[in-house]
Amino acid sequence: MTTSTDFSGRQRALTVVIPTLGGDSLGRTIGALNSGSVVPAEVLVCIPEDEAQKVAHLSFENMKVLVTQVRGQVAQRAVGFRSASYPAVMQLDDDMLVDERCVERLLDTLGTNGPEVVVAPALVSLTTGESVYKRPKGHRLLQRAYDRIMHGRAGYRPGGIDKAGSAIGVDPALVTQRVLAVEWLPGGCVMHHRHNLVLEDFYPIRGKAYREDVIHSHHLKKRGCRLVVDTEARCRLEPAPLETLAPRESFTHLAGDFRARRYCFTLRRHSLLRMGLFYLAWCARYAATRLARSKIAK
């Protein structure tokens, strides 16, 4: 087994896999990783051949570039997973910024919760400092009606998947456990034991990978993995609310989400009627938000 080498006394036997197309945020993401209380021994940047020149300027002691013959987040990440040298492996999107102790806390949770555990941090907005899954305020009666239809008797469950197939994120402000068992993990930052990795390109749809984290979570659970969120580990990103998309972009997003959600239906049964109601509710909210912003602009 490969052993870690010294990195100012903080390096651990950890591989981080980052699929990327070489965006401007990548250097900042790796810089945050290497500024933490624990530094990964290996950072694998997985990038298609046509884009490889975009990362040529980056120079980090623990960074390795893997030029892939495939394109797509899931496929590129699988290449990195197969090349990981260390017993702990973390997947990370190229626009995520881990907090100083995020990696340390995830490693501790991974090491103390058994060989089948997979763990993710709480995701926090760079702009507001609040959870990216904070529930928007709305009319109380409408919210209750929506929750009853979409979540059923169980009600709103952070970390759950509702009856329309929608994945509910974890807002630490709404839970009391530090380590919360969940039904799915957001794919932007997840830590695994290497023996649990899904090494195949499991995403069946061409183009942008919508809902790949829900599909990935399904395959992990089929392998007997337990999915948890460590609410004290934090990773930051700049969320892009769907309501801010232009109409053409929003239609493209909804079409991609629908294709992926339809595939998810073959993996885990949910209500097609509730799925239709979800899209109607989303469109109504999008239209109301766009109308309100246009009035403010005037």
Side-chain angles (χ1 to χ4, degrees):
M1 180 180 295
T2 305
T3 57
S4 60
T5 55
D6 182 64
F7 198 113
S8 301
R10 296 179 292 136
Q11 194 175 70
R12 293 277 190 93
L14 167 69
T15 295
V16 176
V17 174
I18 306 177
T20 185
L21 296 178
D24 294 339
S25 59
L26 177 61
R28 188 181 180 194
T29 292
I30 300 175
L33 268 176
N34 288 344
S35 297
S37 59
V38 164
V39 175
E42 178 178 65
V43 178
L44 302 181
V45 173
C46 307
I47 188 167
E49 186 174 8
D50 292 346
E51 313 289 348
Q53 75 280 359
K54 295 181 180 179
V55 300
H57 66 288
L58 296 177
S59 178
F60 296 94
E61 181 181 341
N62 54 350
M63 171 183 152
K64 299 177 184 178
V65 176
L66 295 183
V67 178
T68 69
Q69 300 305 309
V70 293
R71 188 183 187 93
Q73 183 184 41
V74 176
Q76 290 170 230
R77 191 171 65 208
V79 172
F81 281 173
R82 292 193 291 268
S83 301
S85 302
Y86 294 90
V89 180
M90 187 170 85
Q91 64 187 70
L92 189 68
D93 285 356
D94 66 1
D95 58 351
M96 309 290 279
L97 299 178
V98 294
D99 279 9
E100 181 182 5
R101 295 192 62 197
C102 179
V103 173
E104 178 184 357
R105 287 190 168 106
L106 293 178
L107 278 171
D108 288 346
T109 298
L110 194 74
T112 57
N113 284 269
E116 74 284 358
V117 76
V118 183
V119 58
L123 301 184
V124 177
S125 168
L126 274 169
T127 302
T128 66
E130 298 177 321
S131 171
V132 300
Y133 298 116
K134 182 177 180 179
R135 301 192 76 185
K137 294 181 179 179
H139 192 283
R140 185 174 298 178
L141 290 179
L142 289 177
Q143 188 69 65
R144 286 180 179 175
Y146 180 87
D147 285 350
R148 181 67 177 182
I149 293 170
M150 295 303 176
H151 306 297
R153 293 181 180 179
Y156 181 87
R157 293 177 298 115
I161 298 176
D162 72 15
K163 294 182 180 297
S166 298
I168 311 302
V170 174
D171 180 352
L174 299 180
V175 300
T176 57
Q177 305 97 311
R178 174 190 167 180
V179 178
L180 178 71
V182 295
E183 293 186 62
W184 74 288
L185 293 174
C189 181
V190 182
M191 189 174 290
H192 311 254
H193 293 285
R194 185 173 57 184
H195 60 257
N196 290 329
L197 293 173
V198 179
L199 302 177
E200 300 80 25
D201 177 8
F202 56 80
Y203 194 74
I205 305 169
R206 296 184 62 182
K208 183 177 177 181
Y210 292 90
R211 300 178 64 79
E212 65 84 14
D213 40 18
V214 174
I215 299 171
H216 191 191
S217 297
H218 169 82
H219 288 291
L220 288 168
K221 288 188 291 184
K222 279 188 67 176
R223 291 167 177 253
C225 294
R226 291 191 300 112
L227 312 183
V228 302
V229 169
D230 186 328
T231 60
E232 291 186 4
R234 302 296 171 91
C235 189
R236 300 179 185 272
L237 69 154
E238 192 61 67
L242 298 180
E243 292 82 2
T244 64
L245 296 177
R248 183 185 295 272
E249 293 174 314
S250 68
F251 177 80
T252 299
H253 173 86
L254 284 183
D257 182 85
F258 174 77
R259 287 192 294 269
R261 196 179 293 241
R262 186 173 55 185
Y263 172 74
C264 288
F265 182 76
T266 68
L267 304 177
R268 172 191 171 126
R269 296 287 174 174
H270 51 260
S271 167
L272 293 177
L273 174 60
R274 286 182 171 93
M275 189 171 78
L277 292 173
F278 164 80
Y279 286 121
L280 284 175
W282 189 92
C283 289
R285 182 179 173 190
Y286 176 83
T289 302
R290 296 283 297 186
L291 180 62
R293 288 183 176 177
S294 66
K295 289 182 178 180
I296 292 173
K298 293 178 181 180

